[in-house]
Each structure stands twice: as structure tokens, then as C-alpha cells.
Amino acid sequence: PAPGPSTLAVAPLPVTPPAALGAGAVVQALRRRWFLALTVATLSVTAAAGAAWVFLKPACTVRSYLLVASTPPKIAFKTTDNEGEGRNDFASYQKTQAALVKSRLVLTTALRKPQIAELSVVREQPDAIEWLEKELRVDNLPGTELLEISIKGDRPEELTALVNEITKAYIGEIVEKEKNKRADRLKKLQDIYAKAENNLRRTRLTLKEWAETAGSGDDKTLTIKQQFALEQLNTAKKDLMQYASERKRLQAELPKGPDLAKAPRPLSPPDQFVDEMLWKDPTVAHQLQRIALLEEKVEKNKERSALGKDDPILAAPLRELGSLKQALDARRKSLVETLTKQQARRAAEEANAAVARTKERIRVLEELEQGLTIEVGNLSAETRQINKSSLEISSLRDAITKDEVLSHKIADEMEALKVEIEAPSRVTPLEEASVSWVGAEKKRMMGLGAGIFAALALSLFGVTWTELRARRVTRAQDVDQLGVRLVGSIPYLDKHKAQRRLAAVLDMPDPVAEKIMTESIDTVRTMLLHLARVESLRVVMVTSALSGEGKTSVASHLAASLARAGRKTLLIDCDLRKPAAHHSFNLPMGPGFSALLKGTADLGDVIQVTSVEGLSLIPAGLCDAGALRALAQDGARQVFDRLRVEFDFIIVDSSPVLPVVDSLLLAQHTDAVLFSLLRDVSRLPAAQAALKKLEALGVRLLGAVVSGTEHEAGYYNGY
């Protein structure tokens, strides 16, 4: 049958970091590489112990002590530089002094001395200051006022001189200069005090000038003056606004055209007034009397006359009466016109007089406004001046008060400092440098032990980590990570050998061991026979990712198991570059499969009968370039086709997949491939890479067999 697709898809290999494998994987890794781990650890521990013993020489400790007072010493007074009495301030002061001891100023001063510069421990250093900054220790002893200066080394005399000189340099450069700072501070205080007094004197003089300008230096008096000035200012502003408002109103009332144009239009005089004026005229009065008589006469004649108006008796009176009334109306009309003109003339005169009075009032109001404007300006200036003087005087008084307080404080501090300048220093030398060997040998042994432990730990860790990263197959269940089925597992009964010859297996003195091996390989055979019936498999190739993974052993045992099951079986050693199958049966290596490929031998010449009934072997033979060239030219297909006719099963032991291409060429002419894995040897990444290559060729994959697994106790039927 032609090669078909693999029976199981090859799943991507999951990426599992070694750290996630757990303690069991670490133990397994050490178990697999115990000899290498032991060898590396022994060499590392020996080298570490030797180096530690040579380089970790006993070192002495040279110490000197300084007394740092918790509070600054004083004679009688407290000054600002001796008030730090809190423990927090003292702790900070201690740390500061410890840092100053290791300052470059102190170290440089000490190293300038010729006797120190000539010390071998100093001359050996590329940079003596950096070396001292690293090696010199300055510690504040907890709960005490002591400052410890120490250094370790194996030259006590030189280190003693060095520590003493550093202590002297610290006292001279830091402590003594700190004491000299008091004198400098006193001089600065005296200068500040003189400036403060001069400033106070100038401020007082300025205050006096402002008081003279304001007319008083008393705050209450200035306040009263300011209030009075503000009242006057408000009154003047109020009057000014009132005059301005009245002026604007009068200006709005003035006529814009001729004077009379603004006079009111004269009205007709009342009838009663006209009648009174007519009665005052004698002529008019006589006429009115005559009209009254004529009207009376006409009324009487009307009563006596039968002709009415046409009666001659009535005509004459009526004509006279009409004439008199016409004259009276004319007189009345003339009088009305005269009275109207007189009234208009008087109204015009009154209007002109009112305009004149209004203009005069406007002129007076303008003069009042000018005067009040000047007065408001003067009062405003006076108010501002009083306010400014009051603020300046108040500010000057506050400044004088502050300056007086400052001046008194400086004077008190200055007087106290004149006394305290003679107080002793806060830091004094307590003990010169001395040598101590306490704990030197103990520390050397501790360093030796630490080096040995570190070397041992690093060695074991390195071997374990390397082994974990290899990700070897440690149990049959690891096949699940490759995405292929587990066909079977074959245990190792002899743990001191990676491979066993088939003859030794068949001739086992131990019946239990024989049973275990037989049952394991028969399980693989059973699965193979089942697949052969279902999928018509006859040529099965056994391969692995790399060499040394038990493929030859699996192929040999599987071929023997098939023969025991009554199947005529042929085992072909196609690992031409590194043949091994003939060793399992104690048969010669050639002639073999290489000769068949080249056509230099027949089947009868190469097929060898083994000690297992029904099992034959074609060894690899002598490989050369011709055999490899024939293999690449599909020479194996013709050989397999000829052998299919004569045998029930053909088991092909091929070369590993990854190192060479031979197995990939052979796999294309077989019915299926069985993949071999060896516990504690095979690596999952390499196996995955090999399976991917086989999958890319469309090769049918039966599954994997794991060799070298731990066998389980308690077999059926007592085994």
C-alpha cells in the first residue's frame, strides 16, 4: 500500500519552562546526571576552598574612639549653636560627624602626611581615597556617645598609624575649625548689631519727620483729624453735587431762541373783566343805559302794537337800539384787543425778567461750584496726606519695634557668645587606635564555608538547570506533550546498561524479568497487529530523533515478538551509517542492505536466519557513497516491494531523523512509522522537530514507544 497520512496529528509542543516542572523534575534531573553533578561539585568545592584559604587571610581590626557629647558643652549661657538637646538632633549630629570623618577633606589631609603616604598599604592602592572611602568604617555605637573609627586588614602597624592620622586630620580640619566658627560668628553678630542700631536710628529720625509733617505723632489725634477732614470733604462734595444739579436744571429751562419766544401766548380777557372795564367808560355807560331804556320801551310798544315789528312806533327805537349795540360791540371788541395786547406785553416783560433772574442764578451757582471744587481738592489732598502720614507713622513704629526686638536679641546672643566662646569642643578624642584580632579566624572559616556552600550550590544548580532545559522524557506520559499516541512502554530491568542484547533477554535467568519484558513488548505487538488488520500495514519503520534513543532495541524486540506470534517477520537494519541490529542476534554485519541498494547482491545472499523461529535479518552491510546515492534514488522502494511478497511483516530499523536524511527517504516507502523514545535520554524539543519533518512528508505515524520506564510491581497471575 502507498504511504498515507499519519494516523495522529502532531500537535505543537507546549512551551513549559524548567522552573514550572516542580521539585520532582529537579530530583529526576539530578538522578540522571548525578555523576556529572558530583564531579562538577567536587571540583568547584575544591577550587573554592583553596581560593578561600589563600585569599581569606586573617584580618585584624584597628579602632579608635571619639567622644561626641549629646549636648553642646556650655559655660553659663545657651546660644543658638548649643541648644540642640533632643535625641533626634543628636542622632543627626552623630551621622553628620561620621560622614565628615570619611570626607575627602579629612582623608586628603591625612594622606598628605609623608609618613602616611609612604605606607605600603597606601602605595598599593590605585586610588587611596576611594579605597579608604570603601574600607574605612565610622560607626555610632548605639545608646552611647561614642564614635568608632575602624579599618580591617593584615598590616596592624600601618593601619594603626593610618587611623590615628585620620583621627588627627578630622580633629584639625573639622572640630577645631568648628570651634573657630564661634569667633567668626561673634564678629558677624557685632557687625549685624552695629547695622541694626544704625538702621533703628534712621527709622526713628524718619518717624519724627513724618510726625512733624502730620502735625502730631499720636495715632488718636491723627485719627480724629482724619475723621474731621473726611466729614468736611463729604459735606463739600454734597454741596457741590447739589449746586451742579441745580445749575444744570436752570440751564435746561433757559429758552433757546429770542426772549419773547418763550413768553406764553396771551388769552382773551374774561367777559366779566371786559364788562367791568366798559362800565368804567362814561360813554359806554351812557350807551348801556340808553340801550336798557330802548329795550324797555320796545317791549312796552310790542304789547300795545298790533302790527309787530312793522309798526312805525317800534321801528325808530329798534333802529336806534341796533345802532347803539353795534357801537357797543365795536367798543367792546376794541377794548378786548387793547386788553389782550397789554396782557401780552406784560407777559413778555415777565418772561424776560425771569430769564434774567435765571441767568443770574446760574452765574452765582457757577461761582459757588468753582469755589467748592477747589475746596474739595484741598480737602482730598489733606485727607490723603493725613492717611499717608498715619500709615507711614504706624509702619515706622512697627519697624522700630521689630528692630528693637532684633537688636536686643542680637545683643543678648552676642554677650552670651562672648562667654561661651571659651567652652570646650563637642567632639574630643577618647582613645587612640588599637589592634583587635577577635573573630578574625572565625570570619575566615565562615568565609571558607560560605565559599564552599556557594560553589556546591552553583554546581548543582548549573547541572540541574542545564538538564531541565534539555526537557528529557522522564515517563511514558510525556508522550502526550508531543501530540502522538503512546503505543507502549518497555522497562529496563538492568539499570546499569542502556541497551541489552536480544539473546540475553531471551535467555534471562529471572522468570519475573523475562515475563515483564515479554509482556511489555507483546503489548506493542498487539497494538501493531490491530492496526495492521485495520489499515493494512506490513512495512513498519522504527526511528528516533537522535541516536542512542533505543530504536534498534525496540525494532529487534518488536520483530522477535511478531515472530513468536506466528508471523513471518523480517528485520532490516537500514541504519547504514551506524548499524547495530546484527549485534542483538550475534550475526555478521554483511553482506546486507547496502549491497541490495547497489545491486551487488541478491536477497538470498543477505537474508540471515536468527535464533528466533520465524524471524530473519538483513543487516546493514558496508555503507559507502554508492549505497547512499541509491537510497536517495528510491532504491529502497524496489527492495521493499520484493520483500512484501515473502514476509508477513517487515520491521525497518532506520537511522535517526535529525542528523541525516536517510530515515526521511526510507519513510516515504514504508506503510507507517513507529517513533522510539528513551527515558532520561530523549529530549522533547528534538522529538517534536523530528515528528514535524515526518509529518511534512505525509508519513503515517503509528505512535511512540518509550523504553527504559520503571516497571510496576504486581503483575497478573503472581508476577
Side-chain angles (χ1 to χ4, degrees), residues 662-713:
D662 300 0
S663 59
L664 298 178
L665 297 173
L666 289 169
Q668 299 179 66
H669 309 309
T670 61
D671 298 335
V673 172
L674 191 64
F675 201 78
S676 175
L677 298 170
L678 182 59
R679 177 174 173 262
D680 294 342
V681 175
S682 298
R683 294 185 298 157
L684 292 175
Q688 179 68 24
L691 290 172
K692 284 186 177 181
K693 286 189 174 184
L694 293 173
E695 182 186 20
L697 295 175
V699 176
R700 180 179 299 166
L701 184 64
L702 295 179
V705 176
V706 181
S707 303
T709 58
E710 296 287 347
H711 68 276
E712 297 180 358

Side-chain angles (χ1 to χ4, degrees), residues 31-232:
R31 182 187 63 79
R32 291 194 298 271
R33 292 293 180 264
W34 67 269
F35 183 76
L36 176 62
L38 181 61
T39 302
V40 174
T42 302
L43 295 176
S44 300
V45 167
T46 303
W53 187 260
V54 172
F55 293 105
L56 294 178
K57 297 180 180 179
C60 65
T61 302
V62 179
R63 300 184 180 91
S64 69
Y65 294 95
L66 299 172
L67 180 63
V68 182
S70 59
T71 58
K74 62 182 179 180
I75 296 175
F77 301 102
K78 287 183 180 180
T79 61
T80 55
D81 58 354
N82 64 11
E83 290 180 353
E85 298 181 358
R87 296 304 299 174
N88 291 335
D89 293 338
F90 176 54
S92 177
Y93 183 78
Q94 280 185 313
K95 292 178 181 179
T96 302
Q97 298 309 308
L100 289 174
V101 171
K102 295 181 67 173
S103 65
R104 284 188 169 261
L105 173 63
V106 173
L107 299 180
T108 303
T109 303
L111 293 174
R112 283 201 192 105
K113 297 297 180 70
Q115 64 272 24
I116 300 300
E118 293 300 324
L119 295 177
S120 59
V121 71
V122 175
R123 286 188 287 104
E124 291 174 358
Q125 307 304 325
D127 191 329
I129 292 180
E130 289 187 3
W131 171 71
L132 282 175
E133 288 176 343
K134 180 180 178 182
E135 298 296 331
L136 187 67
R137 290 183 57 85
V138 183
D139 300 310
N140 299 305
L141 301 186
T144 69
E145 297 182 342
L146 297 180
L147 187 68
E148 181 186 76
I149 305 173
S150 62
I151 192 171
K152 294 181 179 181
D154 55 358
R155 303 173 194 178
E157 295 82 5
E158 293 187 356
L159 295 179
T160 300
L162 181 60
V163 171
N164 283 332
E165 194 58 43
I166 291 174
T167 304
K168 290 179 182 178
Y170 164 71
I171 295 297
E173 294 294 332
I174 304 298
V175 178
E176 292 299 329
K177 288 185 178 180
E178 191 70 28
K179 188 174 181 180
N180 294 336
K181 287 181 180 179
R182 284 192 171 186
D184 296 337
R185 186 166 174 271
L186 177 59
K187 186 176 182 307
K188 289 181 179 179
L189 285 175
Q190 290 172 343
D191 294 340
I192 294 172
Y193 179 75
K195 292 179 181 179
E197 285 296 317
N198 290 334
N199 187 44
L200 185 60
R201 202 161 29 250
R202 287 194 300 270
T203 306
R204 286 171 177 166
L205 182 60
T206 305
L207 175 61
K208 181 179 179 182
E209 293 175 353
W210 276 103
E212 291 176 354
T213 302
S216 175
D218 183 58
D219 290 340
K220 292 183 179 180
T221 303
L222 290 174
T223 302
I224 293 172
K225 289 183 66 176
Q226 187 177 15
Q227 291 178 351
F228 180 72
L230 287 173
E231 291 176 359
Q232 287 183 321

Side-chain angles (χ1 to χ4, degrees), residues 362-588:
I362 290 173
R363 184 187 63 78
V364 173
L365 290 174
E366 288 177 346
E367 291 179 356
L368 291 175
E369 280 187 55
Q370 291 177 357
L372 284 175
T373 301
I374 294 172
E375 184 179 357
V376 167
N378 294 334
L379 289 174
S380 297
E382 182 181 357
T383 303
R384 288 195 298 271
Q385 182 62 34
I386 294 173
N387 186 45
K388 182 178 180 181
S389 299
S390 178
L391 293 176
E392 287 292 337
I393 290 172
S394 178
S395 177
L396 289 171
R397 281 180 176 169
D398 291 342
I400 289 172
T401 301
K402 292 180 181 179
D403 289 345
E404 286 177 346
V405 172
L406 178 61
S407 182
H408 291 325
K409 188 174 182 179
I410 294 174
D412 293 341
E413 180 73 14
M414 190 168 55
E415 293 301 322
L417 193 57
K418 287 180 181 178
V419 177
E420 295 300 323
I421 199 170
E422 301 299 330
S425 300
R426 189 171 181 178
V427 181
T428 54
L430 183 64
E431 181 181 313
E432 290 189 351
S434 59
V435 181
S436 174
W437 294 90
V438 176
E441 194 63 33
K442 180 180 178 180
K443 291 182 179 179
R444 185 185 189 189
M445 296 306 297
M446 290 178 62
L448 179 62
I452 292 175
F453 177 78
L456 179 61
L458 289 175
S459 301
L460 295 179
F461 175 78
V463 173
T464 304
W465 179 257
T466 303
E467 185 62 21
L468 287 175
R469 287 183 63 86
R471 303 186 60 201
R472 301 184 188 276
V473 176
T474 58
R475 55 181 183 170
Q477 289 79 359
D478 291 344
V479 174
D480 295 339
Q481 299 185 43
L482 297 174
V484 299
R485 75 174 66 164
L486 177 64
V487 177
S489 60
I490 303 174
Y492 275 151
L493 301 178
D494 185 357
K495 297 184 179 180
H496 299 289
K497 295 183 180 180
Q499 296 180 350
R500 298 178 58 86
R501 294 186 179 180
L502 183 62
V505 174
L506 298 177
D507 201 15
M508 287 182 181
D510 186 355
V512 175
E514 180 181 359
K515 181 63 176 178
I516 292 172
M517 175 61 75
T518 302
E519 289 294 338
S520 299
I521 199 66
D522 286 351
T523 300
V524 179
R525 179 200 68 196
T526 301
M527 295 190 69
L528 180 60
L529 290 175
H530 171 72
L531 294 173
R533 286 193 299 272
V534 175
E535 302 181 15
S536 301
L537 304 180
R538 298 191 55 191
V539 181
V540 178
M541 185 181 80
V542 180
T543 187
S544 61
L546 299 169
S547 62
E549 294 184 351
K551 61 178 180 57
T552 300
S553 178
V554 170
S556 300
H557 285 84
L558 180 58
S561 179
L562 289 170
R564 288 198 305 272
R567 303 299 195 275
K568 187 178 180 181
T569 306
L570 174 65
L571 174 63
I572 305 177
D573 189 356
C574 291
D575 190 353
L576 304 181
R577 304 171 191 263
K578 194 177 180 181
H582 61 282
H583 293 301
S584 299
F585 299 94
N586 292 325
L587 294 174

Side-chain angles (χ1 to χ4, degrees), residues 298-357:
V298 170
E299 289 296 328
K300 289 180 179 181
N301 290 331
K302 284 182 179 179
E303 293 176 356
R304 292 194 301 265
S305 176
L307 297 177
K309 291 182 180 182
D310 294 332
D311 191 347
I313 299 173
L314 294 175
L318 288 173
R319 282 194 299 274
E320 185 181 358
L321 182 60
S323 176
L324 289 173
K325 285 185 177 182
Q326 288 179 356
L328 182 61
D329 289 338
R331 178 60 182 165
R332 184 183 183 86
K333 184 177 180 181
S334 175
L335 182 59
V336 168
E337 291 178 356
T338 301
L339 289 175
T340 300
K341 289 179 180 180
Q342 290 177 355
Q343 186 177 357
R345 201 164 38 248
R346 284 196 300 269
E349 291 175 355
E350 290 177 359
N352 289 333
V355 170
R357 287 193 301 273

